[in-house]
Amino acid sequence: MLYRFCRMILRMLFLLLYRLEARGVSNIPLEGPVILCSNHKSLQDPITLGVWVPRKVHYMAKEELFRIPLFGSLIRAVGAFPVKRGGVSKEAIRTAITLLQGGNVMGIFPEGTRNESVGMGKRGAVTMGIRSKALIVPVALVGQYRPFRKMLAVYGAPIDLGPYAEQGTTESMEEATELIMSRIREMMKTGQPAS
């Protein structure tokens, strides 16, 4: 209930402030485990990524944020869970995989850090996707966070990692990661969902 209320308020705010438009939302499966993999250029990206998604989106967030009175409780209530400073721990990965195995949605930024252009992705999303049998939905966040300038959230067709899991090699995981990143790059250029 709190999640839906916050999503509605943020959706209205981002619609007014950034003229946020979503394309390809129908590409997001309405059930089963899903990982939304997006480019990352701003602290506002988690909101932009999830505000039009019809399902609750879970995120990893810095452990320090959970120590802020009220704010920590709020972000936990809307689907965030803590990650220790210095990288993603095994515990955080286990939490993410457990959430996915429960049929939930995770929002992940495969580059691991903010970049203006789409760089190389890390294999973490693919690893979690294979272990949880989640579909990967590539997402491109297009535009700058400037008041009254249009922002787009573009959701591509789901990617089934099954064939890559069967191969089970480092090369196949890198190939899957590059496929995800190339779909994001394509959508950044066209502003349209990739298939």
Side-chain angles (χ1 to χ4, degrees), residues 80-149:
F81 61 93
V83 176
K84 291 179 182 170
R85 184 183 285 275
V88 179
S89 67
K90 288 181 182 178
E91 183 182 332
I93 291 170
R94 275 196 297 270
T95 301
I97 290 170
T98 300
L99 280 166
L100 289 164
Q101 287 172 336
N104 292 293
V105 179
M106 280 287 307
I108 294 178
F109 302 100
E111 294 166 279
T113 187
R114 293 189 299 274
N115 292 305
E116 276 304 311
S117 59
V118 181
M120 297 291 291
K122 296 181 180 176
R123 294 192 315 245
V126 170
T127 301
M128 286 186 268
I130 287 173
R131 288 181 58 190
S132 65
K133 296 184 172 55
L135 290 172
I136 302 277
V137 174
V139 184
L141 304 180
V142 185
Q144 301 297 323
Y145 289 97
R146 294 189 183 137
F148 314 114
R149 297 267 181 100

Side-chain angles (χ1 to χ4, degrees), residues 2-188:
L2 176 61
Y3 183 87
R4 282 187 295 202
F5 176 74
C6 291
R7 182 177 61 192
M8 182 184 69
I9 297 298
L10 289 168
R11 186 182 290 179
M12 288 190 298
L13 181 65
F14 273 51
L15 196 55
L16 289 170
L17 191 59
Y18 301 123
R19 298 173 52 215
L20 178 61
E21 179 186 334
R23 295 178 181 169
V25 173
S26 61
N27 283 322
I28 302 167
L30 295 177
E31 56 187 36
V34 175
I35 299 174
L36 303 173
C37 287
S38 175
N39 60 308
H40 192 21
K41 57 187 174 180
S42 167
L43 292 171
Q44 298 175 80
D45 290 342
I47 298 170
T48 308
L49 174 65
V51 78
W52 286 105
V53 176
R55 298 171 64 187
K56 183 175 184 176
V57 182
H58 298 267
Y59 299 94
M60 297 180 188
K62 290 179 185 175
E63 188 178 45
E64 296 84 354
L65 296 174
F66 292 86
R67 296 188 197 126
I68 301 170
L70 295 176
F71 183 73
S73 300
L74 178 65
I75 63 172
R76 192 179 298 277
V78 296
F81 61 93
V83 176
K84 291 179 182 170
R85 184 183 285 275
V88 179
S89 67
K90 288 181 182 178
E91 183 182 332
I93 291 170
R94 275 196 297 270
T95 301
I97 290 170
T98 300
L99 280 166
L100 289 164
Q101 287 172 336
N104 292 293
V105 179
M106 280 287 307
I108 294 178
F109 302 100
E111 294 166 279
T113 187
R114 293 189 299 274
N115 292 305
E116 276 304 311
S117 59
V118 181
M120 297 291 291
K122 296 181 180 176
R123 294 192 315 245
V126 170
T127 301
M128 286 186 268
I130 287 173
R131 288 181 58 190
S132 65
K133 296 184 172 55
L135 290 172
I136 302 277
V137 174
V139 184
L141 304 180
V142 185
Q144 301 297 323
Y145 289 97
R146 294 189 183 137
F148 314 114
R149 297 267 181 100
K150 190 177 206 79
M151 281 289 301
L152 292 175
V154 186
Y155 302 87
I159 298 169
D160 179 5
L161 296 176
Y164 301 97
E166 285 175 19
Q167 294 175 45
T169 64
T170 301
E171 291 78 15
S172 66
M173 291 178 70
E174 287 176 359
E175 188 181 329
T177 301
E178 182 46 38
L179 173 62
I180 295 163
M181 301 312 291
S182 67
R183 293 266 178 95
I184 294 170
R185 285 186 206 103
E186 177 188 337
M187 295 188 298
M188 292 279 295

